[in-house]
Amino acid sequence: MKLGMSCYCLDPLMSDGRMTVDDVVDFAVKNGCEHIEFVPFNLEFVKPDLTIDEELVKHVREKCASAGIEISTYSVNGNLLMTGEKEQAVEIERIKRHIDVAEKLGIGRMRFDVASFRRPFSTNTIHNFNLEFPQMVKNGGLLCDYAAEKGLHIVMENHGFFINGSDRVLSLIEAINRPNLKMTVDVGNFLCVDEDPVAAVKKCLPYAEMIHLKDFYIRKKEQLPDQTDMFNCNLGRWFETMGGKMLRGAILGQGDMDVWEILRMIKHSGFDGYISLEFEGMEPSEQGTEIGLSMARAILSRV
């Protein structure tokens, strides 16, 4: 196993200009990360006209190489369930350009979303999942095949509220049925659809190539009047689950998840991939990330 971090941990500092991508890489190295994951919220590798910023790609690749840190994966938002054929074709081409970026960065895997993170709760039914399943399989398979031509694995994540929950994600992976399709198991995201993280992680570990490690506070909605911010999960905001509970990002090991049992299962499962910390709590990003990495190491050494 290799423990590292996602640049998403420090996204607030990149967003307001307090940290550059070089600063983020240096922070990861300073804090003993064995790898770093990139999420391009503040890194415009693919421009709006779908051209690639070759200079930025080259700079990031060379910066990581000179710093002696591996780039583990590259994760992008996506929506393969658009109703308009033209819009869907453009979205597929956009994701293909990100696959090209992953290849140019010299990494072996990337993640793209199948459904929009901001899909309304009212549409997240099992009826709609079954209805839209053929489109997911078709478009997901198309992009997996494109990635295979580049020598890349796709690591599908339980992300958002529609393609989430162990049964939904695993049924989609099985149906797409590509040898280069594995899973990013986000240990906390199962809570977004009110699934027990311990049980879900255990079920998904045989498919895992990446682990996203995080922690949440879990509260009853009535205990937090007027605090709902439905689709914002960072900067310490409370957000609502499908079942009506409230979640807020926590420093790893300080929230309400059974992180000790989850890491025990991962360690003793034979998993030999990448574990990537994602911190999205209220505390200062650098502090929360540093403590989270330290906690992950401490727990792994004791379970």
Side-chain angles (χ1 to χ4, degrees):
M1 294 186 296
K2 292 185 178 181
L3 177 65
M5 59 172 277
S6 171
C7 74
Y8 174 69
C9 295
L10 302 178
D11 191 65
L13 301 176
M14 295 182 71
S15 182
D16 65 15
R18 283 181 287 166
M19 291 187 82
T20 66
V21 66
D22 287 8
D23 295 330
V24 173
V25 172
D26 290 339
F27 175 92
V29 172
K30 178 182 176 182
N31 283 278
C33 291
E34 297 175 87
H35 69 91
I36 187 167
E37 174 182 0
F38 285 108
V39 180
F41 290 150
N42 292 287
L43 295 166
E44 197 174 58
F45 290 117
V46 177
K47 300 176 184 179
D49 64 0
L50 301 189
T51 59
I52 294 174
D53 188 334
E54 301 283 356
E55 289 188 8
L56 178 60
V57 172
K58 181 174 182 288
H59 176 82
V60 170
R61 185 181 68 243
E62 292 181 349
K63 170 62 183 177
C64 291
S66 65
I69 189 169
E70 181 182 0
I71 307 174
S72 55
T73 192
Y74 175 64
S75 298
V76 298
N77 291 339
N79 184 6
L80 305 185
L81 296 175
M82 293 183 174
T83 54
E85 289 186 11
K86 183 178 179 181
E87 291 80 5
Q88 187 65 88
V90 171
E91 176 69 347
I92 288 173
E93 286 304 308
R94 185 187 71 84
I95 296 173
K96 283 183 176 179
R97 296 295 76 75
H98 282 289
I99 292 173
D100 294 340
V101 168
E103 180 192 25
K104 291 174 183 291
L105 285 170
I107 57 182
R109 67 203 54 78
M110 73 164 285
R111 182 215 86 188
F112 57 79
D113 286 341
V114 176
S116 170
F117 177 78
R118 297 181 182 275
R119 183 183 175 111
F121 275 17
S122 61
T123 70
N124 290 345
T125 63
I126 190 62
H127 171 80
N128 285 337
F129 180 79
N130 290 330
L131 187 68
E132 298 180 72
F133 195 74
Q135 187 173 346
M136 302 181 216
V137 174
K138 175 187 173 183
N139 291 336
L142 185 155
L143 287 168
C144 284
D145 291 343
Y146 185 79
E149 295 173 6
K150 309 285 183 178
L152 290 168
H153 281 193
I154 298 301
V155 281
M156 185 176 293
E157 183 178 347
N158 54 306
H159 192 238
F161 301 89
F162 191 55
I163 311 303
N164 200 346
S166 57
D167 287 341
R168 288 194 183 188
V169 178
L170 296 183
S171 65
L172 183 53
I173 290 174
E174 291 282 1
I176 292 173
N177 190 26
R178 296 298 194 277
N180 66 324
L181 177 59
K182 298 292 184 179
M183 185 174 176
T184 292
V185 178
D186 188 301
V187 304
N189 283 356
F190 293 111
L191 287 170
C192 297
V193 293
D194 304 279
E195 185 173 13
D196 173 53
V198 173
V201 170
K202 183 177 182 179
K203 190 186 297 186
C204 293
L205 269 173
Y207 297 79
E209 189 169 313
M210 285 285 304
I211 303 288
H212 278 176
L213 191 59
K214 64 176 58 161
D215 202 351
F216 281 122
Y217 298 110
I218 309 167
R219 296 291 184 272
K220 296 178 180 179
K221 188 175 180 179
E222 57 267 28
Q223 295 174 336
L224 296 161
D226 303 321
Q227 295 297 307
T228 303
D229 197 350
M230 188 170 291
F231 294 117
N232 285 320
C233 55
N234 59 357
L235 299 179
R237 297 183 180 97
W238 291 98
F239 67 101
E240 191 171 349
T241 73
M242 284 290 294
K245 290 189 174 67
M246 300 290 281
L247 304 178
R248 197 187 87 191
I251 293 175
L252 188 75
Q254 298 186 14
D256 295 319
M257 289 177 55
D258 192 351
V259 174
W260 283 73
E261 177 60 18
I262 288 169
L263 283 172
R264 186 198 66 78
M265 283 194 308
I266 292 169
K267 180 177 177 178
H268 296 284
S269 70
F271 175 77
D272 194 30
Y274 299 86
I275 300 178
S276 189
L277 179 73
E278 283 194 336
F279 171 71
E280 50 192 18
M282 180 178 286
E283 296 82 1
S285 301
E286 291 169 288
Q287 181 186 43
T289 303
E290 183 176 354
I291 296 171
L293 289 166
S294 178
M295 278 295 294
R297 292 189 192 97
I299 295 170
L300 283 168
S301 71
R302 289 166 170 80
V303 293

